[in-house]
Amino acid sequence: MHRLALVPRLLRSRPVTKGLRYLYRYTRSREDRHNETLWPFVTVRRDGPERLTGCDVHGVRGPATLPLDELPRGIGGDAHLILSGPSVAQIDYTQCRMRSVMGVNGSIALRARHPALRFDYYAMLDAGFVKKRRDLVAEVLAQDLILFVTPEVYRWIALLFNDRAVRCRIALFEEVHQRAQRPRAQPQALESQLRADEELVLFDAHHPMHAHGFSLNAARGLFGGGTVAYTALQLLAWLGAKTVYLHGLDLTATAGPRFYESAGAQLPTALDRQFAGHIEPAFRQAGKLLRARGVQVYNLSLLSRLGDDVFEKRHWSCLLEAPSLQPPTRPES
Protein backbone atom coordinates (compact mmCIF):
# COMPACT_ATOMS: atom_id res chain seq x y z
CA MET A 1 0.00 0.00 0.00
CA HIS A 2 1.30 3.45 -0.91
CA ARG A 3 2.09 5.43 2.21
CA LEU A 4 -0.24 8.28 1.14
CA ALA A 5 -3.14 5.83 1.15
CA LEU A 6 -2.67 5.53 4.90
CA VAL A 7 -3.39 9.22 5.49
CA PRO A 8 -7.22 9.07 5.48
CA ARG A 9 -7.14 6.02 7.76
CA LEU A 10 -4.88 7.82 10.24
CA LEU A 11 -6.97 11.00 10.09
CA ARG A 12 -10.10 9.11 11.13
CA SER A 13 -8.38 6.86 13.67
CA ARG A 14 -10.07 7.34 17.04
CA PRO A 15 -6.86 7.26 19.13
CA VAL A 16 -5.26 9.85 16.84
CA THR A 17 -8.23 12.20 16.72
CA LYS A 18 -8.93 11.88 20.44
CA GLY A 19 -5.32 12.52 21.36
CA LEU A 20 -5.11 15.59 19.15
CA ARG A 21 -8.34 16.97 20.59
CA TYR A 22 -6.94 16.70 24.11
CA LEU A 23 -3.72 18.38 23.00
CA TYR A 24 -5.64 21.21 21.38
CA ARG A 25 -7.98 21.60 24.34
CA TYR A 26 -5.16 22.07 26.83
CA THR A 27 -3.02 24.35 24.65
CA ARG A 28 -5.71 26.76 23.50
CA SER A 29 -8.02 29.22 25.19
CA ARG A 30 -11.62 28.41 26.02
CA GLU A 31 -12.73 30.72 23.19
CA ASP A 32 -11.06 28.37 20.68
CA ARG A 33 -12.45 25.08 22.01
CA HIS A 34 -15.11 24.78 19.28
CA ASN A 35 -12.28 24.33 16.75
CA GLU A 36 -10.80 21.23 18.39
CA THR A 37 -12.39 18.87 15.88
CA LEU A 38 -10.92 20.80 12.94
CA TRP A 39 -7.30 21.13 14.08
CA PRO A 40 -4.97 20.14 12.49
CA PHE A 41 -6.94 18.44 9.73
CA VAL A 42 -8.87 21.31 8.15
CA THR A 43 -8.07 24.71 6.70
CA VAL A 44 -10.93 27.00 5.75
CA ARG A 45 -10.85 29.67 3.05
CA ARG A 46 -12.60 33.03 3.31
CA ASP A 47 -13.12 36.14 1.24
CA GLY A 48 -13.80 38.18 4.36
CA PRO A 49 -14.21 37.73 8.13
CA GLU A 50 -17.84 36.59 7.75
CA ARG A 51 -17.78 34.76 4.43
CA LEU A 52 -16.66 31.14 4.27
CA THR A 53 -15.81 30.15 0.68
CA GLY A 54 -14.05 26.79 0.90
CA CYS A 55 -12.51 24.07 3.01
CA ASP A 56 -9.45 21.83 2.59
CA VAL A 57 -8.91 18.54 4.43
CA HIS A 58 -5.23 17.74 4.63
CA GLY A 59 -4.17 14.44 3.08
CA VAL A 60 -7.33 13.84 1.05
CA ARG A 61 -9.09 15.38 -1.92
CA GLY A 62 -12.59 16.26 -0.84
CA PRO A 63 -15.51 17.05 -3.14
CA ALA A 64 -15.75 20.55 -4.60
CA THR A 65 -17.71 23.17 -2.68
CA LEU A 66 -19.66 26.25 -3.76
CA PRO A 67 -19.65 29.60 -1.95
CA LEU A 68 -23.12 30.39 -0.61
CA ASP A 69 -23.14 33.68 -2.51
CA GLU A 70 -23.07 31.74 -5.78
CA LEU A 71 -26.19 29.68 -5.10
CA PRO A 72 -29.53 30.51 -6.74
CA ARG A 73 -32.11 31.81 -4.28
CA GLY A 74 -35.34 31.83 -6.19
CA ILE A 75 -37.78 29.65 -4.25
CA GLY A 76 -40.26 32.53 -4.06
CA GLY A 77 -43.20 30.36 -2.92
CA ASP A 78 -43.86 27.25 -0.84
CA ALA A 79 -41.07 25.18 0.65
CA HIS A 80 -41.14 21.99 2.71
CA LEU A 81 -38.71 21.08 5.48
CA ILE A 82 -38.80 17.33 6.12
CA LEU A 83 -37.37 16.43 9.53
CA SER A 84 -36.99 13.14 11.37
CA GLY A 85 -39.74 13.07 13.99
CA PRO A 86 -41.87 9.91 14.15
CA SER A 87 -44.93 11.79 12.86
CA VAL A 88 -43.34 11.91 9.39
CA ALA A 89 -44.24 8.23 9.00
CA GLN A 90 -47.94 9.19 9.06
CA ILE A 91 -47.66 11.36 5.93
CA ASP A 92 -48.50 9.79 2.59
CA TYR A 93 -46.03 11.50 0.30
CA THR A 94 -47.44 9.79 -2.76
CA GLN A 95 -50.41 12.15 -2.46
CA CYS A 96 -48.60 15.35 -1.45
CA ARG A 97 -47.94 18.12 -3.91
CA MET A 98 -44.71 19.82 -2.95
CA ARG A 99 -42.47 22.26 -4.75
CA SER A 100 -39.13 22.96 -3.07
CA VAL A 101 -38.12 20.31 -0.51
CA MET A 102 -35.30 20.34 2.04
CA GLY A 103 -34.26 17.34 4.12
CA VAL A 104 -31.94 16.93 7.09
CA ASN A 105 -29.85 14.01 8.34
CA GLY A 106 -31.95 10.85 7.83
CA SER A 107 -34.86 12.36 5.87
CA ILE A 108 -33.54 10.63 2.76
CA ALA A 109 -34.76 7.30 4.20
CA LEU A 110 -38.28 8.30 3.13
CA ARG A 111 -37.33 7.48 -0.45
CA ALA A 112 -37.42 3.78 0.43
CA ARG A 113 -41.20 4.15 0.95
CA HIS A 114 -41.78 6.98 -1.52
CA PRO A 115 -39.30 6.64 -4.42
CA ALA A 116 -40.81 9.61 -6.25
CA LEU A 117 -39.93 11.98 -3.40
CA ARG A 118 -37.21 14.39 -4.51
CA PHE A 119 -35.10 16.65 -2.34
CA ASP A 120 -33.85 19.94 -3.73
CA TYR A 121 -31.84 20.89 -0.64
CA TYR A 122 -30.34 19.13 2.34
CA ALA A 123 -28.64 20.21 5.58
CA MET A 124 -26.31 18.31 7.91
CA LEU A 125 -24.99 19.73 11.16
CA ASP A 126 -24.01 16.59 13.10
CA ALA A 127 -20.68 14.95 12.24
CA GLY A 128 -21.68 12.00 14.43
CA PHE A 129 -24.54 11.25 12.06
CA VAL A 130 -22.12 11.17 9.12
CA LYS A 131 -19.88 8.68 10.89
CA LYS A 132 -22.63 6.42 12.22
CA ARG A 133 -25.13 6.45 9.33
CA ARG A 134 -22.86 6.25 6.32
CA ASP A 135 -25.54 4.39 4.39
CA LEU A 136 -27.94 7.33 4.51
CA VAL A 137 -25.22 9.92 3.91
CA ALA A 138 -24.08 8.02 0.81
CA GLU A 139 -27.61 8.18 -0.56
CA VAL A 140 -27.76 11.93 0.03
CA LEU A 141 -24.41 12.47 -1.69
CA ALA A 142 -25.67 10.56 -4.73
CA GLN A 143 -28.67 12.89 -5.25
CA ASP A 144 -28.98 15.92 -7.51
CA LEU A 145 -29.40 18.49 -4.75
CA ILE A 146 -27.62 21.22 -2.83
CA LEU A 147 -26.15 19.99 0.47
CA PHE A 148 -25.37 22.50 3.23
CA VAL A 149 -22.74 21.34 5.74
CA THR A 150 -20.39 22.70 8.40
CA PRO A 151 -16.61 22.39 7.93
CA GLU A 152 -16.59 19.55 10.49
CA VAL A 153 -19.23 17.60 8.57
CA TYR A 154 -17.35 18.30 5.34
CA ARG A 155 -14.20 16.89 6.92
CA TRP A 156 -15.86 13.54 7.58
CA ILE A 157 -17.49 13.42 4.16
CA ALA A 158 -14.06 13.95 2.61
CA LEU A 159 -12.52 11.22 4.77
CA LEU A 160 -15.24 8.60 4.43
CA PHE A 161 -16.48 8.97 0.85
CA ASN A 162 -14.89 8.95 -2.58
CA ASP A 163 -15.34 12.38 -4.12
CA ARG A 164 -16.07 10.76 -7.50
CA ALA A 165 -19.25 9.26 -6.03
CA VAL A 166 -20.57 12.69 -4.97
CA ARG A 167 -23.26 13.97 -7.29
CA CYS A 168 -24.72 16.70 -5.10
CA ARG A 169 -23.35 20.23 -4.86
CA ILE A 170 -21.94 21.12 -1.45
CA ALA A 171 -22.03 24.53 0.24
CA LEU A 172 -20.42 25.36 3.58
CA PHE A 173 -22.00 27.29 6.44
CA GLU A 174 -20.96 28.14 9.98
CA GLU A 175 -22.52 29.54 13.14
CA VAL A 176 -22.24 33.25 13.84
CA HIS A 177 -21.04 32.99 17.42
CA GLN A 178 -18.43 30.28 16.77
CA ARG A 179 -16.87 30.64 13.37
CA ALA A 180 -14.48 28.03 12.01
CA GLN A 181 -10.89 28.71 13.06
CA ARG A 182 -11.90 31.95 14.75
CA PRO A 183 -12.25 32.56 18.50
CA ARG A 184 -15.76 32.22 19.90
CA ALA A 185 -17.52 35.60 19.89
CA GLN A 186 -18.17 37.14 23.28
CA PRO A 187 -21.70 38.38 24.05
CA GLN A 188 -20.65 42.02 24.36
CA ALA A 189 -18.83 41.88 21.02
CA LEU A 190 -21.84 40.32 19.30
CA GLU A 191 -24.14 42.99 20.70
CA SER A 192 -21.81 45.71 19.47
CA GLN A 193 -21.38 44.17 16.01
CA LEU A 194 -25.02 43.24 15.38
CA ARG A 195 -26.92 46.00 17.20
CA ALA A 196 -28.34 47.50 13.98
CA ASP A 197 -27.69 44.59 11.61
CA GLU A 198 -30.67 43.84 9.38
CA GLU A 199 -29.29 40.50 8.15
CA LEU A 200 -28.03 38.92 11.38
CA VAL A 201 -30.87 39.57 13.81
CA LEU A 202 -29.70 39.07 17.39
CA PHE A 203 -32.33 38.06 19.97
CA ASP A 204 -30.17 37.31 23.03
CA ALA A 205 -26.38 37.49 23.03
CA HIS A 206 -26.12 36.34 26.66
CA HIS A 207 -28.07 33.08 26.43
CA PRO A 208 -26.13 30.41 28.40
CA MET A 209 -26.25 27.81 25.60
CA HIS A 210 -25.63 29.82 22.43
CA ALA A 211 -26.43 33.32 21.27
CA HIS A 212 -30.03 33.40 20.05
CA GLY A 213 -30.75 35.04 16.75
CA PHE A 214 -31.88 34.49 13.18
CA SER A 215 -29.82 34.91 10.04
CA LEU A 216 -31.37 36.36 6.91
CA ASN A 217 -28.10 35.96 5.01
CA ALA A 218 -26.61 32.47 5.28
CA ALA A 219 -23.41 33.60 3.57
CA ARG A 220 -22.64 35.62 6.70
CA GLY A 221 -23.37 32.73 9.07
CA LEU A 222 -26.31 31.09 10.84
CA PHE A 223 -27.45 31.00 14.46
CA GLY A 224 -27.67 27.74 16.38
CA GLY A 225 -31.01 26.80 17.86
CA GLY A 226 -30.26 23.41 19.40
CA THR A 227 -31.48 21.45 16.39
CA VAL A 228 -30.70 21.19 12.68
CA ALA A 229 -34.34 22.16 12.08
CA TYR A 230 -33.52 25.71 13.17
CA THR A 231 -30.51 25.80 10.85
CA ALA A 232 -32.63 24.58 7.94
CA LEU A 233 -35.40 27.11 8.62
CA GLN A 234 -32.88 29.95 8.29
CA LEU A 235 -31.59 28.47 5.04
CA LEU A 236 -35.09 28.25 3.55
CA ALA A 237 -35.90 31.83 4.52
CA TRP A 238 -32.64 32.97 2.93
CA LEU A 239 -33.39 30.93 -0.21
CA GLY A 240 -36.56 32.96 -0.66
CA ALA A 241 -39.35 30.75 0.69
CA LYS A 242 -42.57 32.67 1.41
CA THR A 243 -44.37 29.76 3.07
CA VAL A 244 -42.62 26.95 4.92
CA TYR A 245 -44.25 23.66 5.94
CA LEU A 246 -42.45 21.85 8.76
CA HIS A 247 -42.76 18.04 8.59
CA GLY A 248 -41.90 15.92 11.64
CA LEU A 249 -41.00 18.76 14.00
CA ASP A 250 -42.05 16.65 17.01
CA LEU A 251 -39.08 17.76 19.15
CA THR A 252 -39.39 15.05 21.77
CA ALA A 253 -37.32 11.95 22.30
CA THR A 254 -40.08 10.32 24.38
CA ALA A 255 -42.39 10.08 21.34
CA GLY A 256 -40.22 7.28 20.03
CA PRO A 257 -37.23 6.86 17.73
CA ARG A 258 -36.79 8.88 14.55
CA PHE A 259 -38.96 7.60 11.73
CA TYR A 260 -36.01 5.81 10.10
CA GLU A 261 -34.74 4.21 13.33
CA SER A 262 -35.85 1.17 15.29
CA ALA A 263 -36.44 1.09 19.04
CA GLY A 264 -33.20 0.49 20.92
CA ALA A 265 -31.01 1.43 17.95
CA GLN A 266 -31.50 5.18 17.81
CA LEU A 267 -28.70 7.73 17.93
CA PRO A 268 -28.60 9.92 21.07
CA THR A 269 -30.41 13.26 21.13
CA ALA A 270 -30.37 16.32 23.39
CA LEU A 271 -33.88 17.46 22.44
CA ASP A 272 -35.50 16.84 25.81
CA ARG A 273 -32.62 18.43 27.71
CA GLN A 274 -32.43 21.56 25.54
CA PHE A 275 -36.04 22.10 24.57
CA ALA A 276 -37.35 24.44 27.28
CA GLY A 277 -34.31 26.64 27.73
CA HIS A 278 -32.86 26.73 24.24
CA ILE A 279 -34.90 25.27 21.37
CA GLU A 280 -38.38 26.61 22.17
CA PRO A 281 -37.26 30.21 22.87
CA ALA A 282 -35.26 30.30 19.62
CA PHE A 283 -38.19 29.08 17.50
CA ARG A 284 -40.59 31.43 19.28
CA GLN A 285 -38.49 34.49 18.44
CA ALA A 286 -37.92 33.23 14.90
CA GLY A 287 -41.66 32.82 14.39
CA LYS A 288 -42.28 36.44 15.36
CA LEU A 289 -39.53 37.69 13.06
CA LEU A 290 -40.69 35.67 10.07
CA ARG A 291 -44.33 36.71 10.47
CA ALA A 292 -43.24 40.35 10.59
CA ARG A 293 -41.40 39.77 7.32
CA GLY A 294 -44.38 38.14 5.64
CA VAL A 295 -43.09 34.56 5.80
CA GLN A 296 -45.71 32.08 6.96
CA VAL A 297 -44.61 28.89 8.73
CA TYR A 298 -46.94 25.92 9.35
CA ASN A 299 -46.15 23.01 11.65
CA LEU A 300 -47.53 19.72 10.30
CA SER A 301 -46.80 17.85 13.54
CA LEU A 302 -50.00 18.15 15.57
CA LEU A 303 -48.23 16.59 18.59
CA SER A 304 -45.20 18.87 18.36
CA ARG A 305 -43.91 20.28 21.65
CA LEU A 306 -43.92 23.69 20.01
CA GLY A 307 -47.21 25.39 20.76
CA ASP A 308 -49.65 26.61 18.14
CA ASP A 309 -48.70 30.14 19.17
CA VAL A 310 -45.16 29.56 17.84
CA PHE A 311 -46.15 28.16 14.43
CA GLU A 312 -49.74 27.45 13.38
CA LYS A 313 -50.39 23.71 13.30
CA ARG A 314 -52.05 22.04 10.35
CA HIS A 315 -52.80 18.44 9.43
CA TRP A 316 -50.63 17.13 6.62
CA SER A 317 -53.73 16.66 4.48
CA CYS A 318 -53.53 20.39 3.70
CA LEU A 319 -50.89 19.38 1.17
CA LEU A 320 -53.55 17.57 -0.87
CA GLU A 321 -55.04 20.86 -2.02
CA ALA A 322 -54.93 21.86 -5.68
CA PRO A 323 -51.38 22.74 -6.76
CA SER A 324 -50.35 26.27 -7.59
CA LEU A 325 -50.59 27.37 -11.20
CA GLN A 326 -46.91 28.16 -11.01
CA PRO A 327 -44.87 25.13 -12.14
CA PRO A 328 -42.38 23.48 -9.80
CA THR A 329 -38.86 24.82 -9.94
CA ARG A 330 -35.51 23.16 -9.42
CA PRO A 331 -32.28 24.87 -8.38
CA GLU A 332 -30.21 25.86 -11.36
CA SER A 333 -26.96 24.01 -12.01
Side-chain angles (χ1 to χ4, degrees), residues 129-301:
F129 177 83
V130 178
K131 291 182 279 186
K132 295 174 182 176
R133 292 308 306 258
R134 292 173 60 176
D135 56 331
L136 296 178
V137 176
E139 189 171 352
V140 173
L141 296 175
Q143 304 299 310
D144 178 18
L145 52 78
I146 296 173
L147 171 62
F148 299 94
V149 299
T150 63
E152 184 185 2
V153 169
Y154 177 82
R155 169 199 167 192
W156 284 102
I157 288 175
L159 289 174
L160 297 175
F161 299 92
N162 189 321
D163 67 304
R164 289 173 292 185
V166 177
R167 187 180 176 214
C168 69
R169 289 159 285 168
I170 298 178
L172 299 173
F173 71 88
E174 63 183 351
E175 294 188 343
V176 171
H177 73 289
Q178 50 182 22
R179 297 186 182 278
Q181 297 179 337
R182 295 283 191 274
R184 183 184 180 98
Q186 295 301 307
Q188 295 83 355
L190 274 179
E191 286 182 326
S192 175
Q193 295 167 11
L194 306 181
R195 184 175 294 115
D197 200 314
E198 296 182 354
E199 293 184 326
L200 300 179
V201 183
L202 185 65
F203 302 146
D204 180 6
H206 296 270
H207 191 274
M209 294 291 294
H210 294 301
H212 279 180
F214 196 90
S215 174
L216 298 168
N217 185 348
R220 295 183 58 199
L222 301 173
F223 286 91
T227 169
V228 68
Y230 195 79
T231 298
L233 181 59
Q234 292 171 88
L235 287 167
L236 286 175
W238 171 72
L239 288 165
K242 299 302 181 184
T243 304
V244 179
Y245 292 90
L246 304 172
H247 305 228
L249 189 67
D250 302 350
L251 292 175
T252 175
T254 57
R258 300 168 181 90
F259 78 88
Y260 57 87
E261 295 177 327
S262 57
Q266 58 262 51
L267 295 178
T269 176
L271 287 178
D272 287 344
R273 176 166 48 86
Q274 296 190 11
F275 178 80
H278 186 28
I279 296 172
E280 198 274 350
F283 275 114
R284 182 173 293 278
Q285 293 278 16
K288 294 177 183 178
L289 175 67
L290 291 172
R291 284 191 294 273
R293 296 182 59 86
V295 179
Q296 191 62 250
V297 182
Y298 297 109
N299 187 352
L300 301 185
S301 174

Side-chain angles (χ1 to χ4, degrees), residues 60-75:
V60 297
R61 185 180 69 179
T65 60
L66 290 171
L68 287 168
D69 279 336
E70 295 183 11
L71 296 180
R73 296 170 47 209
I75 291 180

Side-chain angles (χ1 to χ4, degrees), residues 116-129:
L117 178 62
R118 297 182 66 190
F119 291 92
D120 305 286
Y121 309 99
Y122 222 89
M124 289 186 188
L125 183 62
D126 182 7
F129 177 83

